[in-house]
Every structure is written in C-alpha cells, then in structure tokens.
Amino acid sequence: MLPVPIRRPYEIESLPQTRMSALLSILLRLGDMVVLAAAAVLAYRLRFGSLSMPIEFERAIARGLLFTMIVLGSSSCYSGWRAKHWTRHGFRLLALWVMVFVLGVLYVALLKVPGVTSRLWWAYWCFGTVVASVALRVVCRAVNRYAVSHGHDVCRAVVVGDAAAASRVAQQLRSCGAHLVELRGWFSVMPDAREAIAGVAHLGAMDTMRAYVASNGIRQVWIAPGDASAPWLTSVLGSLEHSTADIKYVPNVCEREIFNGSVELLNELPVINLRASPLNGEARVIKGVEDRVLALLILLVVGPLMALIASGVKLSSPGPVLFKQKRHGLDGKTIEVWKFRSMRLHAESHGEVTQATREDPRVTRFGRLLRRTSLDELPQFFNVLEGTMSIVGPRPHAIEHNNYYKSVVQNYMQRHRMKPGITGWAQVNGLRGETDTLEKMSRRVDYDLYYIQNWSVLFDLRIIVMTLAKGFVGAGAY
C-alpha cells in the first residue's frame, strides 16, 4: 500500500465526504470565482459610481481569478469548511484571500500597470470578497448540516477494538464529526467483554461484525487496537474481505513511529487508511458529471446506429431486443444491466449462468457480429445516464459468477468499490471475454483494483481513447 501523505488536523480528511458535501465543495470553488468577480464590479460601482469598467480593471479581475485558482485551489480550504471548530479554517481562508490580493497588487506595482492604482477600489474589492466568501461557506455549512440531520447521504460507521481505544475514537468523532458520521456502535475484540462506552452502543463481539456491516449499510470501519499488540487484526481484515466499507486504522503508541508520515490526523488522533479509494467526495461527483455528459453526447451520435441494430436483433431471431441481467453494482448493490440481445432465447439452470464461449451455438449470426464489435454493449450508455454504471470502470460480472469467484480470488469484491463500467483498464489490456481459468480472473481483478486506486479524469480519457483505438474488436470478443 502506498503511503498516505500526512494531513493537518483541520483538514479532517478521515471524515467522509458525502455526495451532498462533495457537490457543495464544487459549488464553493465556482462560488469563490463568482464572488471575486462580483465584488470587483460592486467595488468599482462604490468607488467610481459607474458600472462601465475600463479594460485595465477587467484585466485585473481576470488576473485575480487566475490567482484564486492557483492559491485557493492548491490549499485545503475546500476540504475543511465542514469542521465543527471553524475558527482556524476561517483565519486560513482570510490569509489565502489576502495572498491573492497581494499578488494582484504586486503584479500591478512591479510591472507598472497603468489605470488600476486606486487603493480604495482594491480595499473595497478585498473586503467584499472575504465577507462574501465567508458568507458562502456559512450557507454551505447550514445546507450540509440540514441535509445530514435529515438522514440524507449519512455515513454510518462502527468501531472495533478494546474499550479504551474505541472510546477514544468515538470521542474524537463526536468532537469534530458528529454531524458527518453516524456512529452506530462498537464491537469488542474479546467475546466476553462487558466494558461500557458512554453514548456508544455495544454491538457485540468481533465475530458478529461482518453480518452487521453487510446488512446495515456501514461505510466506515474504525479499527482501534489500543496500547497492546493486536493479533486479531488479521481476523478483522479477513472478515471484511468482501465488504466495500472504508477501513480506518488507529495505530497504538508504538506503531506511530513505524508508520511515521503515512498517517492522517483526526484532530490529534493519527489514522491510517487500510482501504480507501481516490474516488470519494468531489471526485465521485466529477466522475458522475463526466459520465453523464459523455454518455449523452455518445447517445446523440450513435442513436441512428442503435435503431438499426435493434431492427437487426428483432429480425435475427424471436425475442426481445434488449437482454437484461442482474449484476452487482457500486457497494455490491444489485443493478440491472442492459445489452442488445445476441443469443437465442434459452433457459439456464437455476443459480447458474454459462459464460459465452468461442463458437457458442446459442449466439445468433447477427449477435456474433455484435459481440465481436462490442456493439451489443451500446444500451449500457442508458445505464450510465441512469447512474448505475460508469463509462469506465470494472466490467460487471453475473451475480452467480461473483458468488463463486469472491471465495476463490483474493479481494475480488473490492471491484465493487466503484460503479461497473462499459469499458475498463482490464479490457483495453486484452482481458476480455471468457474467464475460463482462475488466473485470467485474478489478472482481471488486479487490473480493476489498479484502476480504482489510481483513478483520475485523465486516466478515464486514456482508457476511452484506447477503447476507441483497439477495444471494440479483439481476440477476447466473441
């Protein structure tokens, strides 16, 4: 596992960023730009009594927007705005805005830019920007608290460990994340533990945790081993092998020196991510927007082709145009994936799904063409618009296959920490079609997990380009 850079306490990186808070963070980024420009226009109106602004002032605003993207965009001000103790974040925000305006003034002074030397205009602009930016965050905090308090997109968490360490984690979560995390309770590592933690329900022994996490939508598991060694850690990780919950590890005093800079901080509590994905919070919103915009554009282009394919499917053999199959989606939830039907209607034995093989007699002649060119996958762009799939991600397997492979391929179910995709990193690297050996499936899982851990918009675009170049037709497509 790659080391995680150490974080400042006020960033609260270990607390979850829900879809609501991620959207608000993106709106804050856009809002700061709007606030800066609007404050400049209002300052000019107050200083000069007019809204007709000379080009020199417009250029000063454009430079201010650029400095804002650089200074605020590279800081933590878009991750700490939800903190319970907001004073430190507020002072940091003030310092960042002052830096933006100092850069603007220095640019004008050093390059002797004419026409924008009004000190009163600069003062009005800076003051208005800071006030409006703070007000914007107050509103966002209120909206986020209201949404979470009404049960929208709440992160449910549990703690597992000894009583003292679990109590310490619970206290820190309550002190800075009570409105962000719904702490359901704690599991004791000793079967006969009877210690009580004030305000935190005892959910039972460790051996009952797996079932509870799976049935109660738990998104975070906090492991707190205490000051003694934790031989039970392997058991905890093993019990969560098929869970998509994030796992946070709170090291004991001795272990802090071992992990050194690979920890985050929750207030003053060091936390190590044993399992996490870059696709959280804002990143998940960005990928969702990316998916829907691209899917809509692609459907507008391929719409006529899809109509022709639908006619071909209908004429090739009796039966519906679309084939619908239950698959596991994000967090292992059941979704319905759509394809153009490429096989003749047939019945499978209950609980079995037979993978298509080369020269499979069930595949129609027209269906064989669709499968070789992957055109049978086109209806899945509607799945993307629906929000159950992504354009790029781990390919969804049949539920029956998941139930089999999760017990024989290590970390198999971790593929479901991300929405399934129409194409993926495994597919553009030649891992398509039938997985008739465990080695093939293991390699596919390795590629999928690499993609999940290294996701970025550029990585998605790279995979899309590779798919266009070589992904539609290949030896594994049949």
Side-chain angles (χ1 to χ4, degrees):
M1 184 182 68
L2 294 176
V4 181
I6 193 165
R7 306 290 186 182
R8 289 284 188 185
Y10 51 75
E11 294 186 47
I12 328 178
E13 292 292 341
S14 285
L15 292 181
Q17 194 174 35
T18 63
R19 286 188 291 271
M20 171 66 74
S21 64
L23 179 60
L24 290 174
S25 294
I26 293 175
L27 292 177
L28 272 180
R29 294 178 185 271
L30 299 175
D32 281 340
M33 308 294 280
V34 173
V35 158
L36 184 79
V41 173
L42 180 59
Y44 189 86
R45 177 69 176 83
L46 293 174
R47 173 63 180 85
F48 299 104
S50 172
L51 291 177
S52 180
M53 188 178 294
I55 188 65
E56 292 81 9
F57 284 86
E58 293 178 356
R59 289 172 179 169
I61 296 173
R63 288 191 295 270
L65 293 172
L66 177 61
F67 293 146
T68 298
M69 286 189 289
I70 295 173
V71 175
L72 271 68
S74 60
S75 73
S76 63
C77 70
Y78 296 112
S79 60
W81 60 273
R82 298 180 300 157
K84 184 175 181 180
H85 304 293
W86 198 73
T87 306
R88 183 160 36 188
H89 178 75
F91 280 116
R92 182 171 176 79
L93 180 65
L94 174 62
L96 291 171
W97 277 122
V98 170
M99 186 183 300
V100 168
F101 282 94
V102 167
L103 289 173
V105 171
L106 286 176
Y107 184 95
V108 170
L110 294 176
L111 297 182
K112 296 182 173 57
V113 179
V116 285
T117 56
S118 172
R119 287 174 291 182
L120 195 56
W121 177 71
W122 283 99
Y124 285 160
W125 186 16
C126 181
F127 179 78
T129 299
V130 171
V131 171
S133 182
V134 171
L136 189 62
R137 280 158 176 77
V138 171
V139 171
C140 284
R141 280 167 55 83
V143 171
N144 187 67
R145 283 177 178 271
Y146 178 84
V148 174
S149 66
H150 283 73
H152 299 296
D153 209 17
V154 175
C155 175
R156 298 185 180 96
V158 295
V159 180
V160 56
D162 64 31
S167 177
R168 185 162 54 110
V169 173
Q171 180 181 1
Q172 295 291 353
L173 285 173
R174 283 197 296 261
S175 69
C176 62
H179 60 295
L180 305 174
V181 178
E182 181 185 341
L183 184 58
R184 286 296 187 90
W186 74 287
F187 290 91
S188 54
V189 296
M190 302 302 293
D192 56 349
R194 293 291 183 267
E195 299 95 333
I197 299 178
V200 182
H202 183 221
L203 301 175
M206 185 178 63
D207 56 1
T208 64
M209 179 180 62
R210 175 167 56 182
Y212 186 90
V213 169
S215 61
N216 288 273
I218 302 301
R219 290 175 54 190
Q220 285 190 346
V221 177
W222 292 72
I223 300 176
D227 293 330
S229 62
W232 45 266
L233 179 58
T234 302
S235 299
V236 173
L237 296 178
S239 69
L240 296 173
E241 180 183 2
H242 302 318
S243 171
T244 58
D246 290 341
I247 299 176
K248 306 286 185 176
Y249 182 78
V250 182
N252 60 46
V253 175
C254 297
E255 292 170 327
R256 294 183 195 181
E257 295 300 323
I258 298 175
F259 287 105
N260 194 13
S262 63
V263 300
E264 299 174 349
L265 292 175
L266 175 67
N267 279 348
E268 300 302 331
L269 190 68
V271 181
I272 298 168
N273 277 315
L274 295 183
R275 181 194 297 163
S277 167
L279 198 64
N280 285 313
E282 292 180 41
R284 182 166 292 186
V285 174
I286 291 171
K287 185 168 175 63
V289 173
E290 167 201 323
D291 281 334
R292 286 170 173 82
V293 170
L294 290 177
L296 184 59
L297 293 175
I298 291 171
L299 284 171
L300 290 175
V301 173
V302 303
L305 175 61
M306 292 179 68
L308 290 174
I309 292 174
S311 300
V313 171
K314 199 66 178 175
L315 293 173
S316 64
S317 67
V321 169
L322 294 180
F323 170 69
K324 302 177 182 180
Q325 189 175 37
K326 301 292 185 182
R327 303 288 173 97
H328 282 142
L330 179 66
D331 294 331
K333 296 176 181 177
T334 301
I335 62 173
E336 192 172 65
V337 174
W338 306 330
K339 286 185 177 184
F340 282 122
R341 182 175 57 84
S342 59
M343 292 185 176
R344 297 177 179 86
L345 294 181
H346 63 280
E348 293 271 15
S349 300
H350 180 70
E352 293 185 5
V353 174
T354 306
Q355 289 189 5
T357 59
R358 194 179 297 275
E359 305 302 329
D360 195 315
R362 299 171 299 169
V363 180
T364 66
R365 184 175 300 177
F366 185 68
R368 200 173 305 281
L369 171 65
L370 295 181
R371 297 176 73 91
R372 287 192 180 280
T373 57
S374 297
L375 292 176
D376 60 323
E377 311 282 356
L378 288 180
Q380 289 170 27
F381 285 106
F382 289 108
N383 283 114
V384 176
L385 288 180
E386 183 186 37
T388 56
M389 290 184 66
S390 289
I391 293 179
V392 180
R395 284 293 298 158
H397 300 156
I399 291 178
E400 291 78 6
H401 296 160
N402 287 341
N403 292 336
Y404 169 72
Y405 284 114
K406 72 180 183 181
S407 61
V408 294
V409 177
Q410 187 176 14
N411 295 322
Y412 179 85
M413 291 301 287
Q414 298 310 308
R415 303 170 70 253
H416 300 291
R417 294 175 60 78
M418 181 177 283
K419 291 179 184 178
I422 298 175
T423 185
W425 184 233
Q427 282 64 47
V428 297
N429 281 281
L431 298 173
R432 301 183 59 194
E434 185 183 8
T435 50
D436 52 353
T437 66
L438 285 180
E439 181 184 1
K440 288 182 180 180
M441 183 59 78
S442 296
R443 289 185 61 208
R444 181 179 291 189
V445 171
D446 288 342
Y447 275 91
D448 288 339
L449 296 184
Y450 177 87
Y451 168 74
I452 292 173
Q453 292 298 327
N454 295 276
W455 174 85
S456 70
V457 173
L458 290 179
F459 197 7
D460 273 358
L461 295 178
R462 176 185 174 187
I463 293 172
I464 291 172
V465 171
M466 291 177 68
T467 301
L468 293 174
K470 64 178 183 179
F472 284 115
V473 181
Y478 48 80

